[in-house]
Amino acid sequence: MKSEAYLFAGVALFFLISDAAYIWFAREPAGIAALSVSFGMSSVISFFCLVNYRRKGLRPEDRADSDIRERGGIIDFFPPQSGYPVIIALGAAVTAVGIVYGVWIIIIGFGLLWPSIFGMVFQFGNRESQ
């Protein structure tokens, strides 16, 4: 994670320098805000990677003497099939159309969206841990 931390620190530094130049020359609020947010987000990612490196050390893929089997085993549980993503997409589309046409369509979109999000999150909630 150390190399990723340095990579995103470089990206953050680029956005900081770009933001300073944009503030000095352009003075346009939307661009300043976008570059500031980009600097902040890349700084957060860099900080996260650095903290993870200090907490856990080198990963097997970072070491030259590691074996493939060090990352083997069960990774996670992936559901075989689910109808909820289609309903979530429909709810998001209806909500987006509601932004254009009216609040009553937004309410219908939320009525589709929120139960399907909860359904997808808790669909396999009673599954036993391995």
Side-chain angles (χ1 to χ4, degrees), residues 90-110:
L90 179 66
V94 170
T95 303
V97 168
I99 293 172
V100 175
Y101 289 111
V103 176
W104 63 277
I105 297 179
I106 293 175
I107 294 170
I108 294 171
F110 278 153

Side-chain angles (χ1 to χ4, degrees), residues 1-54:
M1 299 290 280
K2 189 176 185 180
S3 58
E4 288 93 342
Y6 288 149
L7 175 75
F8 279 103
V11 171
L13 182 66
F14 168 77
F15 281 128
L16 181 66
I17 292 169
S18 300
D19 194 22
Y22 201 82
I23 289 170
W24 183 261
F25 292 112
R27 294 193 173 105
E28 192 264 323
I32 293 169
L35 286 169
S36 299
V37 167
S38 298
F39 164 71
M41 289 191 301
S42 55
S43 297
V44 166
I45 294 171
S46 175
F47 178 72
F48 170 77
C49 291
L50 190 63
V51 167
N52 253 356
Y53 168 71
R54 287 190 178 168

